[in-house]
């Protein structure tokens, strides 16, 4: 279980005493728990949403819970979305320029625009979504499963960083475990949830193919951007149901 707590330290700001994860020398084992950690973050967000509803309207409660959701992961994926957007729109098909911008910690205009678009689209779509605990679990699990798909049998864009570590050490067994956990949970949630999971997996594979073909590899920031895109996709699918 040390790999579980190690994954929790990677994907959240929840304080975990080192005793629970120190000694786990195979970082790649944490990947198998990514969907489970995502589901846990979804449950915590739903509980926060439910508590807010005791005092606020549904829309206000959702907005607060959305910020809580990203506070739980320390804004990790939003940072990736911003950096990737800056690099994608600023590089103008120049691969070296793309890497330079992606490495820059400063957020540019397109990064700000991407974050604004992310929140506005999700808040707007949420009005047509049934905000049940199953939805929040799906939201949390889908993006983290996508990260496992991106990392496995992939290539690293840089020679350093945590993203490179996951990519180089990832194994198919971690991917199979993560995807099986994701699909099994969605199957128990209902037919529509299972269909949604299949769409997410297909989208993730297409995104992975595009990134590898266009830029030659992934980084932690691209993982985060892909996770956010999957979350927007979840809202679109549920709003259209």
């Amino acid at each position: 279980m040390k790999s579980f707590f190690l994954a929790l330290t990677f994907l959240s700001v929840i304080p975990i005493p080192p005793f629970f994860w120190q000694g786990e020398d195979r970082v790649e084992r944490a990947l198998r728990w990514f969907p489970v950690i995502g589901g846990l973050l979804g449950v915590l967000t739903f509980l926060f949403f439910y508590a807010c509803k005791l005092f606020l309207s549904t829309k206000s409660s959702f907005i607060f819970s959305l910020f809580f959701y990203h506070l739980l992961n320390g804004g990790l994926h939003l940072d990736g979305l911003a950096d990737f957007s800056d690099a994608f729109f600023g590089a103008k098909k120049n691969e070296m320029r793309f890497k330079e911008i992606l490495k820059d910690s400063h957020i540019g205009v397109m990064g700000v625009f991407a974050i604004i678009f992310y929140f506005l689209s999700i808040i707007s779509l949420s009005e047509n979504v049934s905000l049940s605990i199953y939805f929040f679990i799906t939201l949390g699990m889908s993006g983290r499963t996508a990260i496992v798909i991106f990392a496995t049998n992939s290539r690293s864009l840089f020679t350093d960083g945590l993203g490179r570590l996951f990519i180089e050490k990832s194994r198919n067994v971690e991917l199979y475990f993560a995807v099986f956990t994701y699909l099994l949970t969605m199957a128990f949630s209902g037919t529509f949830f299972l269909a949604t999971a299949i769409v997410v997996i297909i989208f993730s594979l297409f995104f992975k193919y595009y990134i590898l073909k266009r830029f030659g590899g992934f980084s932690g920031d691209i993982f985060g951007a892909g996770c956010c895109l999957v979350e927007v996709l979840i809202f679109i699918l549920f709003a259209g149901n």
Side-chain angles (χ1 to χ4, degrees):
M1 287 298 291
K2 285 189 175 182
S3 57
F4 169 83
F5 290 108
L6 186 60
L8 192 57
T9 64
F10 287 142
L11 295 178
S12 78
V13 296
I14 298 174
I16 305 297
F19 168 80
F20 288 97
W21 53 269
Q22 278 186 344
E24 177 55 78
D25 58 348
R26 301 186 65 175
V27 177
E28 70 275 10
R29 289 179 177 174
L31 279 170
R32 67 174 60 186
W33 298 110
F34 273 31
V36 177
I37 301 300
L40 174 62
L41 297 180
V43 170
L44 293 176
T45 303
F46 172 77
L47 293 176
F48 184 84
F49 169 72
Y50 186 82
C52 288
K53 281 188 66 178
L54 298 176
F55 310 97
L56 303 170
S57 66
T58 298
K59 185 172 184 178
S60 296
S61 298
F62 173 74
I63 292 174
F64 279 107
S65 64
L66 183 59
F67 278 94
F68 177 76
Y69 174 72
H70 285 287
L71 286 175
L72 280 176
N73 61 46
L76 182 66
H77 306 311
L78 287 177
D79 180 67
L81 175 64
D83 290 342
F84 174 74
S85 299
D86 280 332
F88 182 85
F89 292 105
K92 303 185 187 304
K93 298 185 178 181
N94 185 318
E95 185 176 333
M96 291 304 298
R97 180 61 178 157
F98 176 82
K99 291 181 179 180
E100 289 175 4
I101 298 175
L102 201 61
K103 276 283 191 179
D104 190 346
S105 60
H106 297 89
I107 297 180
V109 174
M110 295 310 299
V112 174
F113 175 79
I115 292 177
I116 292 174
F117 172 80
Y118 171 85
F119 280 108
L120 287 181
S121 60
I122 282 181
I123 292 171
S124 176
L125 290 167
S126 68
E127 296 180 359
N128 299 311
V129 173
S130 176
L131 300 172
S132 66
I133 188 171
Y134 302 105
F135 170 78
F136 281 100
I137 290 174
T138 303
L139 181 68
M141 293 190 76
S142 297
R144 280 71 185 181
T145 302
I147 292 177
V148 182
I149 293 174
F150 300 152
T152 309
N153 298 318
S154 188
R155 294 189 299 272
S156 178
L157 197 61
F158 301 110
T159 58
D160 58 356
L162 187 59
R164 176 198 61 82
L165 192 62
F166 280 126
I167 291 170
E168 292 184 352
K169 292 182 174 293
S170 62
R171 303 176 301 171
N172 284 329
V173 64
E174 314 303 339
L175 173 66
Y176 299 151
F177 187 96
V179 171
F180 176 77
T181 302
Y182 177 50
L183 290 175
L184 185 64
T185 304
M186 295 300 100
F188 274 112
S189 300
T191 304
F192 176 75
F193 291 87
L194 180 59
T196 298
I198 294 173
V199 172
V200 167
I201 291 172
I202 294 173
F203 173 84
S204 300
L205 290 171
F206 272 104
F207 182 79
K208 178 179 180 179
Y209 173 78
Y210 173 78
I211 293 297
L212 291 176
K213 185 175 178 62
R214 173 77 183 274
F215 303 111
F218 276 84
S219 70
D221 284 330
I222 304 178
F223 286 163
C227 179
C228 288
L229 290 176
V230 166
E231 289 172 349
V232 173
L233 175 63
I234 292 297
F235 275 89
I236 292 173
L237 293 173
F238 274 77
N241 179 35

